[in-house]
Amino acid sequence: MNSKNIIISIVIALTSLVLFLNCGDKSEKPAETSAPAATEAASTLSPELQKGQEIFLQNCASCHGEKGAGDGAAAASLNPKPRNYKAPSRQWKNGNSEAGILKTLNNGIPGSPMAPYKFLGAENIKLLAKYVVHLSQN
């Protein structure tokens, strides 16, 4: 293997490690500095949306950002960049309807860092999809 292939392999390995550490299921609660804002916003949400928000903050915010603007901590290292939920529906691979978001959560987006989230279970995926729709509209 020449040095160019070694460098490419190292870059791919490091990018994969960053994605693994920053995206996906996190058992930790969000940092306390953001807790007051999240709690304040959650108090105006229905219990269903509150649960969806909790799932979102644990699994999606590291890439998509707390408000769904595609500006999470891991976003800088991703190509393509994470979806900004305020983008027009025509820019969403599967649309910004609940059905389209469910398709994305169940199947991921091939050729992108968006992985499937079936491991969350059908009920949690539905709650998460409802919350993503809420973020896209608010």
Side-chain angles (χ1 to χ4, degrees):
M1 238 161 91
N2 64 29
S3 61
K4 182 178 180 182
N5 288 342
I6 292 172
I7 291 171
I8 291 172
S9 297
I10 290 171
V11 169
I12 290 171
L14 289 174
T15 302
S16 297
L17 180 62
V18 167
L19 288 173
F20 178 76
L21 294 175
N22 290 312
C23 293
D25 188 22
K26 294 190 175 28
S27 58
E28 299 174 14
K29 298 285 184 197
E32 284 192 28
T33 55
S34 64
T39 303
E40 184 178 311
S43 65
T44 61
L45 299 175
S46 70
E48 188 175 61
L49 287 177
Q50 285 180 10
K51 180 65 177 166
Q53 179 186 43
E54 180 183 313
I55 297 165
F56 178 85
L57 292 173
Q58 291 174 353
N59 295 281
C60 312
S62 61
C63 296
H64 291 281
E66 287 186 24
K67 303 287 185 191
D71 60 352
S77 65
L78 299 177
N79 186 18
K81 298 296 180 205
R83 165 68 46 230
N84 176 347
Y85 298 148
K86 299 290 186 194
S89 64
R90 69 182 178 280
Q91 292 180 9
W92 294 53
K93 296 288 184 190
N94 295 310
N96 63 352
S97 68
E98 189 173 330
I101 294 165
L102 283 169
K103 181 177 179 180
T104 298
L105 291 170
N106 279 305
N107 303 322
I109 302 287
S112 81
M114 181 62 198
Y117 279 80
K118 285 184 181 181
F119 66 89
L120 292 174
E123 185 60 32
N124 285 338
I125 288 177
K126 286 179 187 175
L127 294 170
L128 180 55
K130 287 179 188 285
Y131 184 69
V132 171
V133 168
H134 169 79
L135 285 177
S136 75
Q137 296 173 350
N138 294 294

